[in-house]
């Protein structure tokens, strides 16, 4: 177990070192969220005046949703590292070393979790500057970070698994095109649950993006119902564990085909 | 862990491996067997696509054989892959360092993965950087290094944990002649040093001849010859003659040349491939006039004639039944 933790730490540090040498990548991943938050948020600010929307400021409503969305979309590219490593001999070298398959996956997931925290705090900050206020305070923000990291782990593990199974960057482009954007729209990220069309509301109940968005908005209210937050965080945790396990299993297929 | 080092470092018995299924199935290995004595450089020689890399991938636990067994450093690769991994270093054909890290950072990380303390990993990295002459570039990003230096870094990373067996898969492919000679000298030193066993795959005959104490020739997924380079060459009688036909194979010239030369006394193993005739002769100088006269009588004009002591080329031709370069070219599409 200590070896596992050491290996995970070494791999996480390697990824963070790479990131620190290419900080522009982090900025690229923040372009879209800024568009959503600042342009979309302004353009649709009157949405909050709809009867039944239930919140005064659309920006405040939107900010946790954009945080959740950013985490998902950025995590969808997590597998790129495995594809690059497999194209070079890095993955083969790692697989012939004492590094366990599990630590290769957790190293990737922990790194993605740290990136998610940095991104989320930046979006929180920009929202604050634009006028959003977070009544939930530090506790609320920590709860949002926890849910967002769990969602990022779900999508990073999915991306890692697809990367190992297909070894094609195209598969990850597919995830971003056909999965993440539709999932964002099939949730309450942009529109209050009460005003969603019936079928969308039904689909959203099974959508992890919606779990994270609902829990995050709840945690940021002045008087959160922690039951709502805990239930959805629990679902996210269970899904994250399942996806992490599947990603580790994907190594077997990688090995059989090589 | 067995403490006493046995005489055999690697043993492969009847390894079989097929990729894909049904009509698309490719038989990569068709019963490969060989044994590598401890402490030597052992060559796995063959054209591209012969099954060398597949064999190394199985021995280094990257891939599982469909049939057969193998052990490395006395440990079964299928049953205890984790123990095999601690005993081996693996240097793949493809560059396997992190281009966004410096040479030193790459080596230290490798050492840490194998359980060295931070201090020991740094010391080991410093030692290897000096040994491979990479000290000056050590703190620049490895992605900016020259191809020859990157290759040395790959080899150095494979040695960080002082493995008992080192796999080098096509180590000099893509290197310029100077960098290749440089790396050859390093590989020579490896085996001479501390009883390290090196399994080297190559499709360069001269490389196997220069480096390997023993070798097997692999062709189409099986071993076709085994021995030391000298033994294999000595098995061939006499010299080799190679005649380039001026008009190539046109008008059945190749066919006529083969019959004419084959009829000359003292000439054996005549083949024609791609406008080039090859034959074995007992004594090159004595047989040459007869060969020239036979070609003249058959109306075939030679463009160039080469006479040579037997080389591994000839060994390959003899055992695989075709010229090495032709085989390499024909199957080279895989790379």
């Amino acid at each position: 177990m200590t070896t596992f933790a050491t290996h995970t730490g070494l791999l996480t540090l390697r990824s963070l070192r790479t990131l620190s040498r290419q900080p522009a990548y982090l900025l690229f991943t923040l372009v879209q969220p800024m568009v959503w938050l600042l342009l979309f948020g302004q353009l649709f600010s009157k949405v909050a005046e709809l009867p039944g929307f239930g919140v005064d400021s659309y920006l405040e409503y939107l900010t946790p949703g954009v945080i959740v969305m950013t985490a998902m979309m950025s995590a969808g590219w997590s597998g790129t590292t495995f594809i690059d490593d497999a194209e070079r001999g890095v993955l083969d070298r790692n697989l012939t070393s004492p590094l366990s398959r599990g630590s290769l996956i957790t190293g990737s997931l922990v790194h993605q979790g740290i990136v998610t925290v940095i991104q989320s705090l930046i979006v929180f900050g920009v929202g604050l500057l634009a006028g959003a206020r977070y009544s939930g305070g530090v506790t609320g923000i920590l709860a949002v970070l926890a849910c967002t990291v769990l969602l990022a782990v779900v999508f990073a593990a999915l991306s890692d698994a697809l990367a190992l199974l297909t070894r094609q960057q195209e598969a990850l482009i597919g995830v971003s095109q056909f999965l993440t954007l539709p999932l964002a729209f099939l949730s309450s990220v942009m529109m209050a649950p009460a005003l969603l069309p019936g079928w969308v509301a039904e689909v959203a109940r099974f959508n992890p993006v919606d779990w994270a968005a609902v829990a995050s908005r709840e945690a940021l209210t002045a008087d959160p119902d922690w039951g709502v937050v805990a239930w959805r965080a629990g679902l996210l945790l269970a899904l994250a564990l399942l996806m992490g396990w599947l990603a580790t299993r994907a190594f077997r297929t990688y090995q059989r085909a090589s | 862990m067995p403490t006493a080092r046995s005489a055999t470092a690697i043993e492969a018995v009847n390894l079989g491996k097929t990729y894909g299924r049904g009509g698309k199935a490719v038989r990569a290995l068709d019963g490969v067997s060989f044994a590598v004595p401890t402490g030597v450089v052992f060559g796995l020689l063959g054209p591209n696509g012969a099954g060398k890399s597949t064999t190394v991938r199985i021995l280094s636990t990257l891939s599982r054989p469909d049939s057969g067994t193998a052990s490395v450093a006395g440990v079964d690769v299928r049953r205890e892959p984790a123990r095999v991994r601690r005993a081996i270093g693996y240097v793949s054909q493809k560059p396997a360092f992190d281009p966004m890290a410096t040479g030193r950072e790459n080596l230290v990380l490798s050492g840490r993965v194998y359980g060295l303390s931070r201090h020991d990993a740094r010391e080991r990295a410093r030692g290897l950087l000096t040994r491979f002459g990479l000290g000056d570039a050590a703190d620049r990003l490895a992605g900016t290094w020259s191809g020859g230096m990157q290759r040395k870094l790959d080899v150095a990373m494979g040695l960080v944990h002082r493995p008992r067996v080192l796999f080098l898969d096509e180590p000099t492919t893509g290197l310029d002649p100077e960098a290749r000679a440089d790396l050859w000298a390093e590989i020579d030193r490896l085996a001479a040093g501390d009883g390290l066993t090196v399994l080297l795959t190559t499709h360069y005959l001269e490389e196997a001849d220069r480096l390997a104490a023993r070798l097997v020739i692999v062709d189409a997924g099986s071993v076709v010859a085994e021995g030391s380079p000298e033994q294999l060459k000595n098995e061939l009688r006499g010299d080799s003659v190679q005649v380039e036909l001026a008009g190539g194979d046109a008008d059945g010239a190749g066919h006529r040349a083969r019959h004419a030369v084959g009829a000359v006394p003292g000439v054996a193993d005549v083949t024609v491939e791609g406008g080039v005739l090859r034959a074995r002769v007992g004594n090159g100088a004595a047989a040459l006039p007869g060969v020239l006269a036979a070609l003249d009588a058959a109306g075939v004009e030679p463009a160039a004639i080469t006479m040579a002591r037997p080389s591994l080329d000839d060994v390959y031709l003899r055992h695989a039944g075709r010229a090495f370069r032709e085989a390499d070219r024909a199957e080279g599409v895989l790379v």
Side-chain angles (χ1 to χ4, degrees):
Chain A
M1 200 59 207
T2 49
T3 312
F4 183 84
T6 310
H7 283 167
T8 300
L10 288 169
L11 293 165
T12 305
L13 286 175
R14 177 207 151 190
S15 307
L16 288 175
R17 183 175 65 200
T18 306
L19 185 68
S20 74
R21 285 178 185 160
Q22 302 168 309
Y25 277 98
L26 197 63
L27 291 179
F28 288 146
T29 63
L30 284 167
V31 172
Q32 267 210 24
M34 292 308 138
V35 169
W36 288 113
L37 197 64
L38 301 176
L39 299 186
F40 194 86
Q42 288 291 305
L43 188 64
F44 288 88
S45 58
K46 289 270 194 291
V47 166
E49 292 169 18
L50 286 172
F53 195 86
V55 180
D56 294 337
S57 156
Y58 185 57
L59 184 70
E60 260 173 47
Y61 179 87
L62 191 61
T63 303
V66 168
I67 286 171
V68 162
M69 225 164 80
T70 306
M72 163 180 67
M73 289 179 171
S74 165
W77 299 107
S78 170
T80 305
T81 309
F82 283 107
I83 291 172
D84 288 349
D85 281 359
E87 256 164 40
R88 302 175 64 78
V90 176
L91 186 57
D92 282 347
R93 188 195 284 285
N94 286 342
L95 291 175
T96 57
S97 81
L99 288 171
S100 68
R101 279 81 186 123
S103 67
L104 288 169
I105 294 294
T106 45
S108 154
L109 299 181
V110 171
H111 168 253
Q112 193 62 44
I114 293 171
V115 169
T116 301
V117 169
I118 299 170
Q119 285 173 331
S120 303
L121 289 175
I122 292 174
V123 177
F124 263 128
V126 173
L128 190 70
L129 290 177
R133 293 295 173 265
Y134 316 117
S135 321
V138 175
T139 320
I141 288 175
L142 288 177
V144 173
L145 291 179
C147 293
T148 308
V149 165
L150 287 175
L151 184 73
V153 167
V154 169
F155 280 88
L158 174 71
S159 176
D160 289 353
L162 281 174
L164 289 170
L165 293 177
T166 66
R167 277 178 275 172
Q168 307 275 337
Q169 185 68 23
E170 287 75 10
L172 303 189
I173 297 173
V175 170
S176 89
Q177 298 297 311
F178 299 113
L179 195 62
T180 58
L181 205 54
L183 282 181
F185 281 105
L186 291 171
S187 78
S188 59
V189 161
M190 290 164 227
M191 180 55 78
L195 299 180
L196 291 177
W199 72 271
V200 175
E202 192 59 29
V203 173
R205 284 177 53 213
F206 303 96
N207 180 352
V209 183
D210 193 61
W211 303 342
V214 169
S216 297
R217 280 195 310 269
E218 187 62 37
L220 286 178
T221 58
D223 184 20
D225 177 348
W226 289 109
V228 168
V229 179
W231 169 237
R232 285 169 179 77
L235 286 174
L236 285 168
L237 178 64
L239 192 58
L241 290 173
L242 176 70
M243 294 306 297
W245 178 74
L246 282 175
T248 306
R249 294 277 301 183
F251 274 111
R252 289 179 182 234
T253 312
Y254 172 82
Q255 215 153 350
R256 209 172 303 133
S258 70
Chain B
M1 279 267 175
T3 43
R5 298 200 166 179
S6 62
T8 306
I10 303 172
E11 192 163 28
V13 182
N14 216 5
L15 292 178
K17 174 94 180 169
T18 303
Y19 291 115
R21 278 182 203 156
K24 282 192 200 159
V26 176
R27 188 86 177 134
L29 295 185
D30 198 11
V32 166
S33 301
F34 59 88
V36 179
T38 300
V40 303
V41 177
F42 188 91
L44 209 55
L45 172 68
N48 290 321
K52 305 181 302 277
S53 287
T54 305
T55 306
V56 170
R57 293 181 72 82
I58 288 171
L59 294 173
S60 59
T61 76
L62 278 172
S63 178
R64 292 172 71 86
D66 302 335
S67 58
T69 58
S71 66
V72 174
V75 184
D76 188 301
V77 296
R78 288 173 89 165
R79 266 185 241 137
E80 298 185 89
R83 271 182 67 201
V84 170
R85 285 177 200 135
R86 295 207 163 265
I88 63 166
Y90 170 78
V91 182
S92 74
Q93 277 181 47
K94 296 183 277 184
F97 56 87
D98 179 353
M100 289 303 294
T102 68
R104 194 188 304 280
E105 286 166 345
N106 268 297
L107 286 164
V108 171
L109 178 63
S110 268
R112 300 276 286 138
V113 161
Y114 283 91
L116 297 188
S117 71
R118 199 171 310 213
H119 175 263
D120 290 352
R122 284 209 188 115
E123 282 302 304
R124 182 73 178 138
R126 187 174 309 147
L128 285 166
L129 286 164
T130 310
R131 171 173 170 182
F132 282 88
L134 300 169
D136 292 342
D139 295 310
R140 295 206 327 255
L141 294 187
T144 65
W145 290 12
S146 74
M149 289 164 66
Q150 292 182 340
R151 211 68 198 118
K152 283 192 195 171
L153 176 61
D154 273 326
V155 176
M157 284 171 73
L159 293 169
V160 160
H161 54 297
R162 297 193 164 82
R164 292 164 63 181
V165 176
L166 182 69
F167 294 99
L168 295 175
D169 199 1
E170 307 269 358
T172 63
T173 299
L175 292 187
D176 61 62
E178 198 183 333
R180 175 175 302 169
D182 206 14
L183 191 58
W184 280 357
E186 296 292 351
I187 295 170
D188 264 342
R189 258 190 278 166
L190 290 178
D194 29 58
L196 178 68
T197 306
V198 180
L199 181 71
L200 167 100
T201 80
T202 180
H203 68 280
Y204 296 118
L205 292 155
E206 38 166 343
E207 184 160 286
D209 203 0
R210 161 84 166 67
L211 294 174
R214 292 185 63 78
L215 60 92
V216 288
I217 295 177
V218 188
D219 190 53
S222 32
V223 171
V224 292
E226 175 166 14
S228 71
E230 283 314 305
Q231 264 173 353
L232 290 170
K233 285 185 283 189
N234 287 342
E235 278 173 16
L236 297 172
R237 289 166 293 114
D239 302 340
S240 75
V241 177
Q242 186 170 317
V243 183
E244 264 177 56
L245 308 179
D249 263 336
D251 303 328
H255 186 72
R256 273 181 287 135
R258 189 156 64 85
H259 274 277
V261 173
V264 178
V267 175
D269 298 346
V270 185
T271 61
V272 178
E273 214 172 318
V276 178
L277 176 145
R278 292 183 184 80
R280 309 219 52 77
V281 294
N283 178 332
L288 199 51
V291 170
L292 285 172
L295 286 173
D296 190 40
V300 180
E301 197 187 334
I305 299 185
T306 345
M307 187 89 61
R309 302 287 306 150
S311 70
L312 282 180
D313 263 301
D314 303 303
V315 176
Y316 181 82
L317 178 65
R318 159 87 172 268
H319 290 283
R322 51 189 173 150
F324 187 84
R325 226 165 316 140
E326 300 296 326
D328 206 28
R329 203 175 301 150
E331 309 195 29
V333 286
L334 283 174
V335 176

